[in-house]
Amino acid sequence: MSRPSQDLSHLTVLAAFAHPDDEGFGSGGTLAMLVSRGAQVTLVCATNGDVGEISDPGLATPENLAQVRQEELRQAMRVTGVKDVRFLNYRDSGMAGTQDNNHPNSLHQAAKAQVVGQLVAVIHEIRPNVVITHDPFGGYGHPDHQAVCRHATRAFSLAGDMGAFSAQAWPPGLLYYICFPRSNFRRMWQEMLDRGITPPFASMDINSLGTPDEEVTTTIEVSGFVDTKIESLNCHQTQMDPNGPLSQMPPEKIREYMSTEYFMLAGRQGSQKDQDILGRPV
């Protein structure tokens, strides 16, 4: 278990996600920790979350949800301390097999080279040491999460190639995938069932959710940043169902789950002296 305390002002991090609020549960504490230690963090959000839930009809309508969710993310990042927030402005593709997959402006329909090129351009501009994104399964199989993982992984690989996009080659040192360990999913589900709560993703096979435990390479204890993490998550009001399964759990249990975040070291390149997500030499 890692308890970071050193200065990280030498570290630049690119965090790439699919929707506003994707940054919260799995990496919100780590982002807050990085900023508090002086790291320069840029957050890129590929879609505007156009077809997400609306917890209260007084907060948004289907027609303006994209704009509302963009502002929710900006507010969440003000809480976290991330000043550089960017949108690629693709439309939310919805879950697999839905009509939203076919929308011409959706991330699902976007040309791969176009999205990768946008991410490479950001890498060339900010020159990150570390890139953080979704895991290949996308946590619970969301196609936009999976797509951002593929595109960010490709951008990570191509950014150092002078012939790929431009002469501004910059190979980020390390690529991390955010993990939700499978054993954690099972434990949380069982606790909810024991309390008579219907778990999230209840229609899915529990054994297919999350990352196999053995693929987790980095565990970060973020209990000192849980309050910031919760406040930031609460900015995503349209997505926070006050009667949802997480809201029905005892607050101390939710804090327990939120106090540890997990990552997989998925890529390493470059000749420079690499540093991990905590600023340690590797």
Side-chain angles (χ1 to χ4, degrees), residues 225-239:
F225 300 92
V226 168
D227 288 339
T228 300
K229 182 175 177 176
I230 291 173
E231 183 181 352
S232 180
L233 272 168
N234 285 338
C235 292
H236 298 286
Q237 293 184 58
T238 59
Q239 307 307 298

Side-chain angles (χ1 to χ4, degrees), residues 21-32:
D21 85 351
D22 285 341
E23 82 290 342
F25 201 89
S27 64
T30 297
L31 295 177

Side-chain angles (χ1 to χ4, degrees), residues 77-99:
M77 290 302 93
R78 282 193 283 270
V79 171
T80 301
V82 176
K83 297 179 180 178
D84 189 5
V85 179
R86 309 183 186 197
F87 293 90
L88 300 187
N89 286 312
Y90 292 102
R91 189 179 190 274
D92 188 341
S93 306
M95 291 300 292
T98 65
Q99 277 300 111

Side-chain angles (χ1 to χ4, degrees), residues 195-215:
R195 296 173 185 275
I197 301 169
T198 301
F201 319 117
S203 62
M204 301 180 70
D205 176 11
I206 183 61
N207 295 313
S208 71
L209 293 173
T211 308
D213 287 31
E214 61 271 18
E215 295 183 10

